[in-house]
Amino acid sequence: AQSVTQLDSQVPVFEEAPVELRCNYSSSVSVYLFWYVQYPNQGLQLLLKYLSGSTLVESINGFEAEFNKSQTSFHLRKPSVHISDTAEYFCAVTLSGGSNYKLTFGKGTLLTVNP
Amino acid sequence: NAGVTQTPKFRILKIGQSMTLQCTQDMNHNYMYWYRQDPGMGLKLIYYSVGAGITDKGEVPNGYNVSRSTTEDFPLRLELAAPSQTSVYFCASSGSGETQYFGPGTRLLVL
């Protein structure tokens, strides 16, 4: 079975500072990796995903994540954050080529951007 | 195109009562999922379905039941509600199986 560890439960940063949210996974087979974002009192929205190909994936709002197979990591980064990026971020994994695509989530990282 | 809708948004139940959380998607997705979210614990899979008439248990199925008689609907049934079922419940659906689309959630309080 696969598992996901998000190393920081809370990350406070100042506006326009860079940020990195860390995610490590454990799996004996190939996986797909995802970052979801949850704004207050809302459902989860897909931020970006790695399925195959280039190990660096980007979102439309400036986030990027790099799949590192040797370190089993999928850290999320943004060079300059905005107040509006304040949210909880979840890393998730599923087996590639699976028949049901069940997601296993990390416990989440609360990103708080302060002015 | 409303995506994934869930009703109710919020409900208070007494211990021992039962209720059904409704989930509907209008994207003709085959895959549907129910999760519960507890503070600091991420999301845990309760049940899932890969198509109409097919359901299976997830990580935390005890105390819950599901059915999938149509592609669009995937209701979650709570029998004999317990305080441990106080949580926020999310329904999700997926067409390709790779990206899941989430509903807005149902907040349930069992007293």
Side-chain angles (χ1 to χ4, degrees):
Chain A
Q2 59 271 28
S3 65
V4 177
T5 302
Q6 290 185 244
L7 296 159
D8 305 294
S9 60
Q10 296 187 52
V11 174
V13 296
F14 288 109
E15 193 174 18
E16 297 183 6
V19 70
E20 178 180 78
L21 307 184
R22 297 179 291 170
C23 172
N24 286 93
Y25 70 94
S26 174
S27 176
S28 58
V29 296
S30 295
V31 297
Y32 295 149
L33 292 155
F34 305 82
W35 276 100
Y36 280 84
V37 58
Q38 184 180 32
Y39 299 103
N41 298 313
Q42 294 188 26
L44 278 71
Q45 303 172 32
L46 180 69
L47 189 60
L48 46 75
K49 62 185 177 183
Y50 170 78
L51 304 180
S52 64
S54 173
T55 57
L56 184 65
V57 291
E58 299 177 351
S59 72
I60 58 173
N61 57 352
F63 283 94
E64 65 179 29
E66 186 160 19
F67 170 56
N68 188 320
K69 188 175 182 179
S70 62
Q71 297 187 5
T72 60
S73 67
F74 192 54
H75 301 331
L76 182 69
R77 301 183 181 95
K78 189 170 185 180
S80 176
V81 294
H82 303 289
I83 298 286
S84 59
D85 292 323
T86 294
E88 189 152 25
Y89 293 79
F90 293 94
C91 183
V93 64
T94 190
L95 297 179
S96 66
S99 60
N100 54 46
Y101 298 102
K102 295 186 293 182
L103 284 174
T104 299
F105 284 88
K107 293 184 178 181
T109 298
L110 179 62
L111 174 64
T112 303
V113 182
N114 298 300
Chain B
N1 190 332
V4 179
T5 57
Q6 293 182 238
T7 57
K9 290 183 180 179
F10 176 68
R11 182 78 181 267
I12 300 175
L13 279 183
K14 293 182 180 179
I15 294 172
Q17 287 185 320
S18 61
M19 76 166 292
T20 299
L21 282 67
Q22 301 291 347
C23 175
T24 299
Q25 52 92 9
D26 61 1
M27 297 174 282
N28 200 33
H29 286 170
N30 284 326
Y31 301 92
M32 294 188 76
Y33 309 85
W34 273 107
Y35 297 91
R36 60 176 287 170
Q37 182 181 27
D38 300 298
M41 298 302 294
L43 281 78
K44 303 288 187 184
L45 182 65
I46 305 171
Y47 271 95
Y48 68 97
S49 170
V50 299
I54 307 170
T55 63
D56 205 349
K57 296 178 181 179
E59 185 179 358
V60 291
N62 291 343
Y64 307 95
N65 275 303
V66 294
S67 60
R68 184 97 183 268
S69 57
T70 67
T71 298
E72 296 78 19
D73 301 307
F74 190 42
L76 178 71
R77 178 83 176 164
L78 277 71
E79 305 283 1
L80 298 174
S84 61
Q85 293 178 305
T86 292
S87 189
V88 182
Y89 292 85
F90 288 101
C91 178
S93 74
S94 177
S96 64
E98 296 160 354
T99 300
Q100 292 187 18
Y101 297 88
F102 284 78
T106 293
R107 189 174 298 271
L108 177 66
L109 180 59
V110 182
L111 299 174

Short mmCIF file of all heavy atoms in Angstrom, two decimals, chain A residues 6 9 32 34 36 38 40-46 49 51 88 90 94 98-108, chain B residues 31 33 35 37 40-45 48 50 57-59 88 90 94 96-105 107:
data_model
loop_
_atom_site.label_atom_id
_atom_site.label_comp_id
_atom_site.label_asym_id
_atom_site.label_seq_id
_atom_site.Cartn_x
_atom_site.Cartn_y
_atom_site.Cartn_z
N GLN A 6 3.32 14.56 4.64
CA GLN A 6 3.54 15.99 4.46
C GLN A 6 4.26 16.46 5.72
O GLN A 6 3.73 16.35 6.82
CB GLN A 6 2.22 16.71 4.25
CG GLN A 6 1.62 16.38 2.89
CD GLN A 6 0.37 17.18 2.61
OE1 GLN A 6 -0.72 16.62 2.47
NE2 GLN A 6 0.51 18.50 2.49
N SER A 9 2.89 20.68 9.10
CA SER A 9 1.45 20.84 9.23
C SER A 9 1.03 22.30 9.02
O SER A 9 -0.08 22.56 8.58
CB SER A 9 0.98 20.36 10.60
OG SER A 9 1.63 21.09 11.62
N TYR A 32 0.96 7.96 -9.59
CA TYR A 32 0.63 9.31 -10.03
C TYR A 32 0.60 10.17 -8.78
O TYR A 32 0.16 9.72 -7.72
CB TYR A 32 -0.73 9.36 -10.71
CG TYR A 32 -0.86 8.60 -12.00
CD1 TYR A 32 -2.08 8.04 -12.38
CD2 TYR A 32 0.21 8.45 -12.88
CE1 TYR A 32 -2.23 7.34 -13.57
CE2 TYR A 32 0.07 7.75 -14.07
CZ TYR A 32 -1.15 7.20 -14.41
OH TYR A 32 -1.28 6.52 -15.59
N PHE A 34 -0.33 14.11 -6.96
CA PHE A 34 -1.22 15.25 -7.08
C PHE A 34 -0.99 16.22 -5.93
O PHE A 34 -0.62 15.82 -4.82
CB PHE A 34 -2.69 14.80 -7.02
CG PHE A 34 -3.06 13.74 -8.02
CD1 PHE A 34 -2.79 12.41 -7.77
CD2 PHE A 34 -3.69 14.09 -9.21
CE1 PHE A 34 -3.13 11.43 -8.70
CE2 PHE A 34 -4.04 13.11 -10.13
CZ PHE A 34 -3.76 11.79 -9.87
N TYR A 36 -3.60 19.04 -4.23
CA TYR A 36 -4.91 19.67 -4.18
C TYR A 36 -4.86 20.84 -3.20
O TYR A 36 -4.12 20.81 -2.22
CB TYR A 36 -5.98 18.67 -3.70
CG TYR A 36 -6.48 17.72 -4.76
CD1 TYR A 36 -5.78 16.54 -5.04
CD2 TYR A 36 -7.63 17.98 -5.49
CE1 TYR A 36 -6.24 15.66 -6.02
CE2 TYR A 36 -8.09 17.10 -6.46
CZ TYR A 36 -7.38 15.95 -6.71
OH TYR A 36 -7.83 15.08 -7.68
N GLN A 38 -7.34 23.49 -0.79
CA GLN A 38 -8.66 23.68 -0.18
C GLN A 38 -8.70 25.06 0.46
O GLN A 38 -8.03 25.32 1.46
CB GLN A 38 -8.94 22.60 0.87
CG GLN A 38 -10.33 22.68 1.47
CD GLN A 38 -10.59 21.61 2.51
OE1 GLN A 38 -9.69 21.16 3.22
NE2 GLN A 38 -11.84 21.15 2.59
N PRO A 40 -10.79 28.04 2.53
CA PRO A 40 -11.68 27.91 3.70
C PRO A 40 -13.13 27.62 3.31
O PRO A 40 -13.69 28.28 2.43
CB PRO A 40 -11.53 29.27 4.38
CG PRO A 40 -10.14 29.71 4.03
CD PRO A 40 -9.93 29.23 2.63
N ASN A 41 -13.68 26.61 3.96
CA ASN A 41 -15.10 26.23 3.79
C ASN A 41 -15.44 25.84 2.36
O ASN A 41 -16.58 26.05 1.90
CB ASN A 41 -16.01 27.37 4.25
CG ASN A 41 -15.83 27.66 5.72
OD1 ASN A 41 -15.80 26.75 6.55
ND2 ASN A 41 -15.65 28.92 6.06
N GLN A 42 -14.48 25.29 1.65
CA GLN A 42 -14.73 24.82 0.29
C GLN A 42 -14.24 23.38 0.12
O GLN A 42 -13.59 22.83 0.99
CB GLN A 42 -14.03 25.73 -0.73
CG GLN A 42 -14.56 27.15 -0.78
CD GLN A 42 -13.95 27.93 -1.93
OE1 GLN A 42 -13.52 27.37 -2.93
NE2 GLN A 42 -13.93 29.25 -1.77
N GLY A 43 -14.58 22.80 -1.02
CA GLY A 43 -14.07 21.49 -1.37
C GLY A 43 -12.65 21.60 -1.91
O GLY A 43 -12.05 22.68 -1.95
N LEU A 44 -12.08 20.46 -2.29
CA LEU A 44 -10.72 20.45 -2.81
C LEU A 44 -10.71 20.71 -4.31
O LEU A 44 -11.60 20.26 -5.04
CB LEU A 44 -10.07 19.08 -2.55
CG LEU A 44 -9.49 18.87 -1.15
CD1 LEU A 44 -10.58 18.74 -0.11
CD2 LEU A 44 -8.61 17.63 -1.15
N GLN A 45 -9.67 21.42 -4.75
CA GLN A 45 -9.49 21.67 -6.17
C GLN A 45 -8.11 21.18 -6.58
O GLN A 45 -7.14 21.36 -5.85
CB GLN A 45 -9.54 23.18 -6.46
CG GLN A 45 -10.81 23.88 -6.01
CD GLN A 45 -10.68 25.39 -6.17
OE1 GLN A 45 -10.00 25.88 -7.07
NE2 GLN A 45 -11.32 26.14 -5.29
N LEU A 46 -8.03 20.57 -7.75
CA LEU A 46 -6.74 20.11 -8.24
C LEU A 46 -5.86 21.31 -8.55
O LEU A 46 -6.25 22.23 -9.27
CB LEU A 46 -6.92 19.27 -9.49
CG LEU A 46 -5.63 18.74 -10.11
CD1 LEU A 46 -4.99 17.69 -9.19
CD2 LEU A 46 -5.89 18.15 -11.49
N LYS A 49 -0.65 18.02 -11.22
CA LYS A 49 -0.49 16.58 -11.14
C LYS A 49 0.70 16.13 -11.97
O LYS A 49 1.06 16.76 -12.96
CB LYS A 49 -1.75 15.86 -11.62
CG LYS A 49 -2.10 16.13 -13.07
CD LYS A 49 -3.44 15.47 -13.45
CE LYS A 49 -3.82 15.80 -14.89
NZ LYS A 49 -5.15 15.24 -15.26
N LEU A 51 1.79 12.71 -13.98
CA LEU A 51 1.39 11.39 -14.45
C LEU A 51 2.57 10.68 -15.11
O LEU A 51 2.83 9.49 -14.87
CB LEU A 51 0.23 11.50 -15.45
CG LEU A 51 -1.02 12.24 -14.95
CD1 LEU A 51 -2.08 12.29 -16.04
CD2 LEU A 51 -1.56 11.59 -13.70
N GLU A 88 -5.28 25.38 2.65
CA GLU A 88 -4.66 24.12 3.04
C GLU A 88 -4.33 23.34 1.78
O GLU A 88 -5.14 23.27 0.85
CB GLU A 88 -5.57 23.29 3.95
CG GLU A 88 -4.88 22.09 4.56
CD GLU A 88 -5.45 21.65 5.89
OE1 GLU A 88 -6.63 21.93 6.15
OE2 GLU A 88 -4.71 21.00 6.66
N PHE A 90 -2.98 19.73 0.05
CA PHE A 90 -2.90 18.29 0.26
C PHE A 90 -2.14 17.62 -0.87
O PHE A 90 -2.45 17.84 -2.05
CB PHE A 90 -4.31 17.67 0.33
CG PHE A 90 -5.10 18.09 1.53
CD1 PHE A 90 -5.97 19.17 1.46
CD2 PHE A 90 -4.98 17.42 2.73
CE1 PHE A 90 -6.70 19.56 2.56
CE2 PHE A 90 -5.70 17.80 3.85
CZ PHE A 90 -6.56 18.88 3.76
N THR A 94 -1.81 7.97 -6.15
CA THR A 94 -2.58 6.81 -6.57
C THR A 94 -1.69 5.94 -7.44
O THR A 94 -0.70 6.42 -8.00
CB THR A 94 -3.86 7.20 -7.32
OG1 THR A 94 -4.68 6.04 -7.50
CG2 THR A 94 -3.55 7.78 -8.69
N GLY A 98 -3.81 1.78 -12.27
CA GLY A 98 -4.73 1.07 -11.39
C GLY A 98 -6.12 1.00 -11.98
O GLY A 98 -6.43 1.67 -12.96
N SER A 99 -6.99 0.22 -11.35
CA SER A 99 -8.34 0.05 -11.88
C SER A 99 -9.37 0.90 -11.15
O SER A 99 -10.51 0.98 -11.58
CB SER A 99 -8.75 -1.42 -11.78
OG SER A 99 -8.73 -1.84 -10.42
N ASN A 100 -9.00 1.53 -10.07
CA ASN A 100 -9.99 2.30 -9.31
C ASN A 100 -9.52 3.70 -8.95
O ASN A 100 -10.31 4.52 -8.53
CB ASN A 100 -10.41 1.55 -8.04
CG ASN A 100 -9.22 1.15 -7.19
OD1 ASN A 100 -8.33 1.95 -6.96
ND2 ASN A 100 -9.20 -0.09 -6.74
N TYR A 101 -8.21 3.97 -9.09
CA TYR A 101 -7.65 5.30 -8.88
C TYR A 101 -7.98 5.86 -7.50
O TYR A 101 -8.21 7.06 -7.35
CB TYR A 101 -8.12 6.25 -9.98
CG TYR A 101 -7.63 5.82 -11.34
CD1 TYR A 101 -8.49 5.16 -12.21
CD2 TYR A 101 -6.33 6.05 -11.74
CE1 TYR A 101 -8.05 4.75 -13.46
CE2 TYR A 101 -5.88 5.63 -12.98
CZ TYR A 101 -6.74 4.99 -13.83
OH TYR A 101 -6.30 4.58 -15.07
N LYS A 102 -7.98 5.02 -6.49
CA LYS A 102 -8.19 5.51 -5.13
C LYS A 102 -7.03 6.42 -4.74
O LYS A 102 -5.87 6.08 -4.94
CB LYS A 102 -8.27 4.34 -4.16
CG LYS A 102 -9.47 3.44 -4.37
CD LYS A 102 -9.56 2.38 -3.29
CE LYS A 102 -8.41 1.42 -3.36
NZ LYS A 102 -8.54 0.36 -2.31
N LEU A 103 -7.34 7.57 -4.17
CA LEU A 103 -6.32 8.49 -3.72
C LEU A 103 -5.98 8.25 -2.25
O LEU A 103 -6.88 8.05 -1.43
CB LEU A 103 -6.79 9.93 -3.89
CG LEU A 103 -6.79 10.52 -5.30
CD1 LEU A 103 -7.42 11.90 -5.27
CD2 LEU A 103 -5.38 10.58 -5.86
N THR A 104 -4.69 8.31 -1.95
CA THR A 104 -4.23 8.34 -0.57
C THR A 104 -3.68 9.73 -0.32
O THR A 104 -2.79 10.19 -1.05
CB THR A 104 -3.14 7.29 -0.31
OG1 THR A 104 -3.68 5.99 -0.56
CG2 THR A 104 -2.66 7.37 1.13
N PHE A 105 -4.23 10.41 0.70
CA PHE A 105 -3.87 11.79 0.97
C PHE A 105 -2.90 11.90 2.13
O PHE A 105 -2.91 11.09 3.06
CB PHE A 105 -5.12 12.59 1.35
CG PHE A 105 -6.01 12.95 0.19
CD1 PHE A 105 -7.00 12.09 -0.23
CD2 PHE A 105 -5.84 14.16 -0.47
CE1 PHE A 105 -7.82 12.42 -1.30
CE2 PHE A 105 -6.65 14.50 -1.54
CZ PHE A 105 -7.64 13.63 -1.96
N GLY A 106 -2.07 12.94 2.07
CA GLY A 106 -1.33 13.35 3.25
C GLY A 106 -2.25 14.09 4.20
O GLY A 106 -3.42 14.35 3.88
N LYS A 107 -1.71 14.48 5.36
CA LYS A 107 -2.55 15.12 6.37
C LYS A 107 -2.77 16.60 6.12
O LYS A 107 -3.55 17.24 6.82
CB LYS A 107 -1.94 14.91 7.76
CG LYS A 107 -1.97 13.45 8.19
CD LYS A 107 -1.46 13.28 9.61
CE LYS A 107 -1.57 11.80 10.02
NZ LYS A 107 -1.10 11.58 11.40
N GLY A 108 -2.08 17.14 5.12
CA GLY A 108 -2.30 18.54 4.77
C GLY A 108 -1.29 19.49 5.39
O GLY A 108 -0.73 19.23 6.45
N TYR B 31 -16.29 6.96 -12.14
CA TYR B 31 -15.72 6.77 -10.81
C TYR B 31 -16.31 7.79 -9.84
O TYR B 31 -16.36 8.99 -10.13
CB TYR B 31 -14.20 6.97 -10.84
CG TYR B 31 -13.46 6.04 -11.76
CD1 TYR B 31 -13.19 6.41 -13.07
CD2 TYR B 31 -13.00 4.81 -11.32
CE1 TYR B 31 -12.50 5.58 -13.93
CE2 TYR B 31 -12.30 3.96 -12.17
CZ TYR B 31 -12.05 4.35 -13.47
OH TYR B 31 -11.36 3.51 -14.31
N TYR B 33 -16.47 8.70 -5.36
CA TYR B 33 -15.80 8.42 -4.10
C TYR B 33 -16.46 9.20 -2.96
O TYR B 33 -16.95 10.31 -3.16
CB TYR B 33 -14.33 8.86 -4.17
CG TYR B 33 -13.58 8.34 -5.38
CD1 TYR B 33 -13.64 9.03 -6.59
CD2 TYR B 33 -12.81 7.20 -5.31
CE1 TYR B 33 -12.96 8.56 -7.71
CE2 TYR B 33 -12.11 6.72 -6.42
CZ TYR B 33 -12.20 7.42 -7.61
OH TYR B 33 -11.52 6.94 -8.71
N TYR B 35 -15.28 10.58 0.88
CA TYR B 35 -14.21 10.78 1.84
C TYR B 35 -14.78 11.46 3.08
O TYR B 35 -15.75 12.19 3.01
CB TYR B 35 -13.12 11.70 1.29
CG TYR B 35 -12.39 11.19 0.08
CD1 TYR B 35 -12.84 11.48 -1.20
CD2 TYR B 35 -11.23 10.44 0.22
CE1 TYR B 35 -12.16 11.02 -2.32
CE2 TYR B 35 -10.54 9.98 -0.90
CZ TYR B 35 -11.01 10.29 -2.16
OH TYR B 35 -10.34 9.83 -3.26
N GLN B 37 -13.24 14.07 6.19
CA GLN B 37 -12.10 14.90 6.54
C GLN B 37 -12.22 15.30 8.00
O GLN B 37 -13.19 15.94 8.40
CB GLN B 37 -12.03 16.16 5.67
CG GLN B 37 -10.83 17.03 5.98
CD GLN B 37 -10.78 18.29 5.14
OE1 GLN B 37 -11.80 18.81 4.69
NE2 GLN B 37 -9.58 18.80 4.90
N GLY B 40 -6.59 17.92 10.85
CA GLY B 40 -5.24 17.41 10.99
C GLY B 40 -5.02 16.00 10.51
O GLY B 40 -3.93 15.44 10.69
N MET B 41 -6.04 15.41 9.88
CA MET B 41 -5.93 14.00 9.48
C MET B 41 -6.02 13.80 7.98
O MET B 41 -5.93 12.67 7.50
CB MET B 41 -7.05 13.18 10.16
CG MET B 41 -6.96 13.19 11.67
SD MET B 41 -5.39 12.56 12.25
CE MET B 41 -5.48 10.86 11.72
N GLY B 42 -6.18 14.85 7.22
CA GLY B 42 -6.33 14.69 5.78
C GLY B 42 -7.68 14.08 5.45
O GLY B 42 -8.63 14.19 6.22
N LEU B 43 -7.77 13.44 4.30
CA LEU B 43 -9.01 12.81 3.86
C LEU B 43 -8.84 11.30 3.87
O LEU B 43 -7.82 10.78 3.44
CB LEU B 43 -9.39 13.27 2.45
CG LEU B 43 -10.05 14.63 2.32
CD1 LEU B 43 -9.02 15.75 2.42
CD2 LEU B 43 -10.80 14.74 0.99
N LYS B 44 -9.87 10.63 4.36
CA LYS B 44 -9.87 9.17 4.38
C LYS B 44 -11.00 8.66 3.48
O LYS B 44 -12.13 9.16 3.57
CB LYS B 44 -10.09 8.65 5.80
CG LYS B 44 -9.07 9.15 6.82
CD LYS B 44 -7.72 8.51 6.61
CE LYS B 44 -6.78 8.90 7.74
NZ LYS B 44 -5.40 8.36 7.53
N LEU B 45 -10.71 7.65 2.67
CA LEU B 45 -11.69 7.10 1.75
C LEU B 45 -12.65 6.17 2.48
O LEU B 45 -12.21 5.24 3.18
CB LEU B 45 -10.98 6.34 0.63
CG LEU B 45 -11.85 5.75 -0.45
CD1 LEU B 45 -12.56 6.84 -1.25
CD2 LEU B 45 -11.02 4.88 -1.39
N TYR B 48 -16.06 3.67 -2.51
CA TYR B 48 -15.92 4.15 -3.87
C TYR B 48 -16.70 3.27 -4.83
O TYR B 48 -17.14 2.17 -4.48
CB TYR B 48 -14.44 4.24 -4.27
CG TYR B 48 -13.74 2.91 -4.40
CD1 TYR B 48 -13.59 2.29 -5.63
CD2 TYR B 48 -13.19 2.30 -3.28
CE1 TYR B 48 -12.94 1.08 -5.75
CE2 TYR B 48 -12.54 1.08 -3.39
CZ TYR B 48 -12.41 0.47 -4.62
OH TYR B 48 -11.76 -0.74 -4.73
N VAL B 50 -16.77 2.23 -9.20
CA VAL B 50 -16.15 2.35 -10.52
C VAL B 50 -17.20 2.35 -11.63
O VAL B 50 -16.85 2.41 -12.81
CB VAL B 50 -15.11 1.25 -10.77
CG1 VAL B 50 -14.00 1.35 -9.74
CG2 VAL B 50 -15.75 -0.12 -10.77
N LYS B 57 -15.41 -1.09 -0.55
CA LYS B 57 -14.99 -0.41 0.66
C LYS B 57 -13.67 0.30 0.48
O LYS B 57 -12.79 -0.16 -0.25
CB LYS B 57 -14.87 -1.42 1.80
CG LYS B 57 -16.17 -2.09 2.19
CD LYS B 57 -15.95 -3.12 3.29
CE LYS B 57 -17.26 -3.79 3.66
NZ LYS B 57 -17.07 -4.82 4.72
N GLY B 58 -13.56 1.42 1.18
CA GLY B 58 -12.29 2.12 1.26
C GLY B 58 -11.60 1.83 2.56
O GLY B 58 -11.72 0.73 3.12
N GLU B 59 -10.94 2.84 3.09
CA GLU B 59 -10.13 2.67 4.29
C GLU B 59 -10.94 2.65 5.57
O GLU B 59 -10.62 1.96 6.53
CB GLU B 59 -9.11 3.81 4.35
CG GLU B 59 -8.10 3.73 5.47
CD GLU B 59 -7.12 4.90 5.44
OE1 GLU B 59 -7.20 5.73 4.51
OE2 GLU B 59 -6.28 4.98 6.35
N VAL B 88 -16.49 16.25 8.24
CA VAL B 88 -16.91 16.85 6.99
C VAL B 88 -16.77 15.79 5.91
O VAL B 88 -15.72 15.16 5.78
CB VAL B 88 -16.06 18.09 6.63
CG1 VAL B 88 -16.56 18.70 5.33
CG2 VAL B 88 -16.10 19.11 7.75
N PHE B 90 -16.90 14.59 1.96
CA PHE B 90 -16.74 15.05 0.58
C PHE B 90 -17.01 13.91 -0.39
O PHE B 90 -16.51 12.80 -0.21
CB PHE B 90 -15.33 15.59 0.34
CG PHE B 90 -15.06 16.90 1.00
CD1 PHE B 90 -14.36 16.96 2.20
CD2 PHE B 90 -15.52 18.08 0.43
CE1 PHE B 90 -14.10 18.17 2.81
CE2 PHE B 90 -15.27 19.30 1.05
CZ PHE B 90 -14.57 19.34 2.24
N SER B 94 -14.72 11.15 -11.01
CA SER B 94 -13.63 11.18 -11.98
C SER B 94 -14.05 10.44 -13.24
O SER B 94 -14.68 9.39 -13.18
CB SER B 94 -12.38 10.52 -11.39
OG SER B 94 -11.34 10.47 -12.33
N SER B 96 -11.69 10.04 -16.19
CA SER B 96 -10.54 9.27 -16.64
C SER B 96 -9.95 8.43 -15.54
O SER B 96 -9.17 7.52 -15.79
CB SER B 96 -9.46 10.22 -17.16
OG SER B 96 -9.01 11.05 -16.09
N GLY B 97 -10.27 8.77 -14.30
CA GLY B 97 -9.68 8.09 -13.16
C GLY B 97 -8.48 8.80 -12.61
O GLY B 97 -8.03 8.51 -11.51
N GLU B 98 -7.94 9.76 -13.35
CA GLU B 98 -6.72 10.43 -12.87
C GLU B 98 -7.02 11.66 -12.03
O GLU B 98 -6.40 11.88 -11.00
CB GLU B 98 -5.87 10.82 -14.07
CG GLU B 98 -5.38 9.63 -14.87
CD GLU B 98 -4.98 10.02 -16.28
OE1 GLU B 98 -5.18 11.19 -16.65
OE2 GLU B 98 -4.48 9.15 -17.00
N THR B 99 -7.95 12.48 -12.45
CA THR B 99 -8.27 13.70 -11.72
C THR B 99 -9.64 13.57 -11.07
O THR B 99 -10.62 13.26 -11.74
CB THR B 99 -8.28 14.91 -12.66
OG1 THR B 99 -7.00 15.04 -13.26
CG2 THR B 99 -8.62 16.18 -11.90
N GLN B 100 -9.70 13.80 -9.77
CA GLN B 100 -10.98 13.75 -9.06
C GLN B 100 -11.50 15.17 -8.85
O GLN B 100 -10.74 16.08 -8.53
CB GLN B 100 -10.81 13.03 -7.73
CG GLN B 100 -10.50 11.56 -7.90
CD GLN B 100 -10.49 10.78 -6.60
OE1 GLN B 100 -11.03 11.22 -5.59
NE2 GLN B 100 -9.88 9.59 -6.62
N TYR B 101 -12.81 15.32 -9.03
CA TYR B 101 -13.49 16.60 -8.86
C TYR B 101 -14.36 16.49 -7.62
O TYR B 101 -15.18 15.58 -7.52
CB TYR B 101 -14.33 16.93 -10.10
CG TYR B 101 -13.50 17.09 -11.33
CD1 TYR B 101 -13.19 16.00 -12.13
CD2 TYR B 101 -13.00 18.34 -11.71
CE1 TYR B 101 -12.40 16.13 -13.25
CE2 TYR B 101 -12.22 18.49 -12.83
CZ TYR B 101 -11.92 17.38 -13.60
OH TYR B 101 -11.14 17.51 -14.72
N PHE B 102 -14.17 17.44 -6.71
CA PHE B 102 -14.81 17.36 -5.41
C PHE B 102 -16.04 18.24 -5.31
O PHE B 102 -16.10 19.33 -5.89
CB PHE B 102 -13.82 17.76 -4.31
CG PHE B 102 -12.81 16.70 -4.01
CD1 PHE B 102 -11.71 16.51 -4.85
CD2 PHE B 102 -12.95 15.88 -2.91
CE1 PHE B 102 -10.78 15.51 -4.59
CE2 PHE B 102 -12.02 14.89 -2.63
CZ PHE B 102 -10.94 14.71 -3.47
N GLY B 103 -17.01 17.78 -4.52
CA GLY B 103 -18.15 18.59 -4.16
C GLY B 103 -17.79 19.54 -3.03
O GLY B 103 -16.67 19.48 -2.50
N PRO B 104 -18.74 20.39 -2.63
CA PRO B 104 -18.47 21.40 -1.60
C PRO B 104 -18.47 20.87 -0.17
O PRO B 104 -18.06 21.56 0.74
CB PRO B 104 -19.61 22.41 -1.79
CG PRO B 104 -20.72 21.59 -2.36
CD PRO B 104 -20.07 20.56 -3.23
N GLY B 105 -18.93 19.64 0.02
CA GLY B 105 -18.88 19.03 1.33
C GLY B 105 -20.17 19.13 2.12
O GLY B 105 -21.02 20.00 1.87
N ARG B 107 -21.16 19.11 6.22
CA ARG B 107 -20.65 19.14 7.61
C ARG B 107 -21.67 18.46 8.50
O ARG B 107 -22.83 18.89 8.55
CB ARG B 107 -20.40 20.58 8.04
CG ARG B 107 -19.68 20.72 9.36
CD ARG B 107 -19.35 22.20 9.61
NE ARG B 107 -18.47 22.74 8.60
CZ ARG B 107 -17.15 22.71 8.65
NH1 ARG B 107 -16.55 22.16 9.70
NH2 ARG B 107 -16.43 23.24 7.68
#
